[in-house]
Amino acid sequence: MSALLSGCSPSNSGTGNGGNTVLSTITDPKWSAGNDIMIAISAPQNDSDHAIFALAQFASNARLLQAKPGDSTFSTSDFTSFERFEDMVAFRIDDTQGGVTKTDYLIAACAYNASSSSATIRLFLASDPETTRTTTSLWQCNGLSPRFDSGDDSNVARLYLVGRNNTSPAIGNSKITVDLFTTSASSRFVTSSNVAGFNQSRAMKSVTTAYEENGDPFAILASTTNTNTIIERATGASARTTLFDSATNPLTGAQSIFSVAAMTRVEGQGVYLVSGDQGMIGLAESALSSGGTPTKISAAAASRCADALDYDGDNLWCHDATSEGRIISFSPPAIP
């Protein structure tokens, strides 16, 4: 039905000695300081048009932000129904039928509906944010990360998800097949998901995807207990390896939790993490197998980050805590 996806995992052209110079900025023109929150940034992988998306929450609603290379200001689309969002990822979708190819971006978001007290993954297209389908009901949905499997068609998206399933922390994966030639939400998004809980007392915070040398994906999970920050690698709820578990905040050195808001992996360098507080930490690539201690990154641009973070295959993007409502890009800094 569609051409095969070229490449099974994100590429890396980062130098490892950057992070000091801001390369570009994009601003939300509707941002209200003190009222709005930057929920997520997503740069779709394998996207020749290099689009960049973000999700902003405000008092009574949320808005999707879209930009392309060279833009200094986002275009915005406000949602008409109120929901609280926790995370968002975007995928480029190319769908070919009858010799005709259509291109759009699938948006998957952790959404919480206050009226039903339930969380779902909400699916929609960037070109049509009001035609949505919900899938994978959870008590909480806290984090999403795109993953790539060799052999998938270019109208297929896969993701890892973390949250809570009733009283248990949960990790799962979902496959989404997108039909760009129909306007029916139930036909447009065909999903299959597998979510499993594990019996431990912790709050799931974020997830990112890494790859073995043979291309097989695995998840890097971040969670917290009442006192500790925990980072794990996992292929499922029962297949988890602890990489870091400590009551010491790697950003401040104090006895406090580093509550991960977003993280992303750069191949060959490691995992970069941000919280709601200004600053960035990194877990070196060598620690992704046997564990290690994340360290504070002092590079000038990276030290401005908070709330939201992603990697576009060349550069990191984050929310600029020194000028809220703006995202900045910079080359991946070395992780000490």
Side-chain angles (χ1 to χ4, degrees), residues 103-273:
T103 298
D104 210 322
Y105 295 90
L106 168 69
I107 310 295
C110 282
Y112 177 80
N113 190 309
S115 63
S116 62
S117 298
S118 64
T120 61
I121 298 174
R122 183 167 291 278
L123 307 173
F124 54 92
L125 298 178
S127 66
D128 184 15
E130 295 302 326
T131 301
T132 66
R133 182 174 185 182
T134 58
T135 181
T136 313
S137 292
L138 298 165
W139 185 61
Q140 288 181 352
C141 176
N142 298 109
L144 303 170
S145 178
R147 52 171 283 189
F148 298 89
D149 284 15
S150 178
D152 277 348
D153 287 348
S154 58
N155 69 325
V156 171
R158 295 179 187 264
L159 54 83
Y160 282 118
L161 61 105
V162 294
R164 289 189 74 83
N165 196 354
N166 294 320
T167 60
S168 300
I171 175 177
N173 58 75
S174 185
K175 176 183 177 181
I176 306 147
T177 303
V178 183
D179 184 346
L180 296 180
F181 290 82
T182 181
T183 57
S184 163
S186 60
S187 299
R188 177 177 285 175
F189 309 113
V190 178
T191 67
S192 61
S193 300
N194 178 25
V195 180
F198 49 95
N199 187 24
Q200 288 183 311
S201 178
R202 64 179 64 180
M204 305 305 294
K205 294 297 183 180
S206 187
V207 60
T208 192
T209 306
Y211 298 86
E212 305 283 9
E213 289 186 2
N214 64 2
D216 289 343
F218 61 93
I220 304 294
L221 314 177
S223 62
T224 59
T225 64
N226 289 335
T227 59
N228 284 28
T229 303
I230 302 168
I231 302 173
E232 301 169 289
R233 61 175 288 156
T235 54
S238 61
R240 307 186 333 272
T241 301
T242 300
L243 304 178
F244 174 74
D245 185 349
S246 176
T248 301
N249 186 321
L251 183 65
T252 65
Q255 296 297 292
S256 64
I257 292 170
F258 183 86
S259 186
V260 178
M263 59 183 183
T264 189
R265 189 244 184 161
V266 175
E267 184 180 353
Q269 293 180 215
V271 175
Y272 299 86
L273 308 93

